[in-house]
Amino acid sequence: MRAVIDGSWGTWKPMWLCGPGLEGSTVGIVGLGRIGQAVARCIKPFSVSRIVYSDFAEQPAAKELGAQFLPLDEVLASSDFLLACVALTPETKEMFNMSLFKKMKKTAVFINTSRGGVVQQDDLYNALVSGEIAAAGLDVTTPEPLPTDSPLLKLDNCVVLPHIASATHTARGAMSELTARNILAALRGENMPSEIKAN
């Protein structure tokens, strides 16, 4: 976008704006729940070499997805792309911090589509500036919206989206229907069909 606005987008250059691709890469998923599984299904057609994941326990769906269960440190060390797909809980709050970023490849791309609170954003900024990791893609931040003076927005190796991972008419319609079914069930004194159970 900067190149389009400032006029530096000129004639085609073979290596301009190139970056890593999914083909042949190792993709690490931290949290192979419903969202993590959906992500794994989506990336399989891109010829990734391996999908590895970390979770509180092995997930039954992992076999069908071809995902390998590993300790978190091994997922961090082996992933070319690392996706945060964990719920925000007291245990996961700011779990993606400098300690974890230092265990990742310097060429790794960190992606967060879960909740902004799982990332220590100052540490992420420092990891991106220092070259501890190569890049980040954030669909969620703390706070939301991210202030326009956030240092993350000034980085060329960090892409920030306004929490739009579910921004399709179909997805938003399904979310509305799910909410309505839950409300109606609760008003009838029945179990909600899509109730989130607290741990």
Side-chain angles (χ1 to χ4, degrees), residues 96-186:
F96 296 95
N97 54 38
M98 189 57 83
S99 173
L100 265 69
F101 297 135
K102 284 179 181 264
K103 295 175 183 177
M104 294 170 62
K105 294 179 178 181
K106 294 199 180 300
T107 54
V109 177
F110 172 72
I111 299 165
N112 185 17
T113 60
S114 58
R115 290 290 179 260
V118 304
V119 177
Q120 210 303 330
Q121 286 180 174
D122 290 339
D123 285 0
L124 175 61
Y125 174 82
N126 290 326
L128 291 166
V129 168
S130 68
E132 201 63 58
I133 62 173
L138 308 175
D139 184 52
V140 287
T141 60
T142 300
E144 288 183 1
L146 197 61
T148 56
D149 63 351
S150 168
L152 287 171
L153 297 176
K154 295 174 177 46
L155 299 178
D156 289 332
N157 59 343
C158 184
V159 175
V160 181
L161 297 175
H163 202 153
I164 57 170
S166 66
T168 68
H169 297 293
T170 302
R172 297 290 166 86
M175 291 163 69
S176 299
E177 287 179 29
L178 181 145
T179 302
R181 285 195 305 275
N182 276 346
I183 292 169
L184 292 172

Side-chain angles (χ1 to χ4, degrees), residues 25-32 36 40 43 48-55 62 65-83:
S25 69
T26 296
V27 176
I29 300 174
V30 182
L32 199 70
I43 63 173
V48 298
S49 175
R50 289 195 316 156
I51 299 172
V52 295
Y53 76 98
S54 173
D55 212 321
L65 297 168
Q68 180 184 5
F69 179 64
L70 294 175
L72 178 59
D73 282 357
E74 289 184 41
V75 171
L76 296 171
S78 63
S79 297
D80 299 300
F81 296 88
L82 185 77
L83 291 86

